[in-house]
Amino acid sequence: YTNSSIADGSYTARFYVNDTSGNLNDTAQVTFSINTTLSNWANSNLDRCRNITITSAVSSTLTNFPAYINLTKDDEMLANYIDLRFYNTSCNNNGSLLAHEIENYTNIKADIWVGIPSLPSSGTIISVYYKNNTAISSGENATGVWDANYKMVQHLEETPANGVANGHVDSTSNSVNATANGFDGAAGSTTDATGIIDGADYFDATNSFVNTSKAIPGIPASGGNYTVEAWLYADTFPAGSPSFFGGDK
C-alpha cells in the first residue's frame, strides 16, 4: 500500500495478521513520524541519519575530546562503513562535519573514534549520516581526531611480523610509527592477540617490546610532565614496580 499524500506529523498504525484460514492470528501497533521538510539536512549525498547521545563523566567541559562510538550497523550502511559522516548536531539540524577514525568493523558493528570539539558535563548529541545516493569514498580523518596534545596514538590493531619496521601505525599527524620486537611466539608472544576493540600485542614479559623509530614530539628526554595511557591486561603482576613504558629519546 502506497500513499504519497500523507502530511507531515506523527501517526499510529495497527496491523492485523490472519492465518491461512482467515482467522485473526496477531496484531501489532507502530507509532511513526513523517517529515518531508529537510531544509536543515546536513549532507544531501546521504539519505539516512541517526542521533547519538554522548554522556560525560566529568564536571567540566572537555575540549577536542576523542569519543569512542560503538556503532551498531544499519542494513543501509555500506559493508565497509565508508559512507559514514558525523556531525556535531542532531539529525536534520545542519551542523559541522566531525573527524572520525574507524579502528575496526564487522558486519554487525563498527568501533569508531570521533573528535568532539566541545563536550559539556551535561553531554551532547551528535549525528551520523549514511546511505549514499551518489558515488562516495571514505570520509575518515584519523589525524583530525587526535589534536596536537596527542603525541602518539597506537591502537596496535595491525599484525606485523616480528621485527618489521614501523609495522604499527601512529594515528596522529606526527607519524610516530613503531616496530614490534621479540614477538617470536615464545611464551605466546604475538602481534595478533585479542584486544578490547580490535587487535592487540601479547608480550612475553621478557623479550617483547615495541619501539619507535623516531623521537616522540613533545616528550622531554629527561624531566618534565607527560601522560601515558594504555589498556593493559596482565596474566600476573610481578613483585615490585613493573615498567610498561620507557625510552631513551
Side-chain angles (χ1 to χ4, degrees), residues 7 32 38 77 122 182 212 224:
F32 62 95
L38 299 177
M77 292 175 181
S122 58
T212 62

Side-chain angles (χ1 to χ4, degrees), residues 30-187:
V30 178
T31 301
F32 62 95
S33 298
I34 295 177
N35 181 5
T36 59
T37 303
L38 299 177
S39 59
N40 296 322
W41 197 253
N43 194 319
S44 61
N45 295 324
L46 301 169
D47 292 341
R48 299 287 183 268
C49 183
R50 181 192 300 176
N51 286 330
I52 300 172
T53 299
I54 300 176
T55 58
S56 177
V58 299
S59 59
S60 59
T61 297
L62 300 175
T63 302
N64 296 327
F65 180 75
Y68 166 64
I69 308 293
N70 186 322
L71 184 69
T72 301
K73 188 179 186 304
D74 187 289
D75 289 341
E76 295 183 300
M77 292 175 181
L78 294 179
N80 57 4
Y81 298 87
I82 66 170
D83 56 328
L84 302 186
R85 299 294 187 272
F86 293 86
Y87 289 84
N88 68 337
T89 59
S90 56
C91 292
N92 197 30
N93 196 25
N94 291 320
S96 300
L97 186 67
L98 300 175
H100 75 278
E101 177 189 16
I102 301 176
E103 182 178 344
N104 182 52
Y105 67 84
T106 68
N107 62 352
I108 298 175
K109 54 97 175 180
D111 300 286
I112 305 171
W113 297 93
V114 179
I116 309 298
S118 179
L119 177 59
S121 58
S122 58
T124 190
I125 295 176
I126 65 172
S127 55
V128 56
Y129 286 70
Y130 57 97
K131 193 191 178 187
N132 54 302
N133 53 46
T134 186
I136 198 168
S137 58
S138 175
E140 278 193 81
N141 177 15
T143 59
V145 175
W146 312 95
D147 71 8
N149 291 302
Y150 292 88
K151 306 305 180 183
M152 178 180 68
V153 174
Q154 290 284 352
H155 298 301
L156 302 183
E157 80 270 32
E158 305 88 2
T159 58
N162 183 42
V164 172
N166 300 322
H168 283 314
V169 180
D170 178 18
S171 290
T172 75
S173 60
N174 295 318
S175 299
V176 186
N177 300 324
T179 301
N181 298 279
F183 292 88
D184 54 7

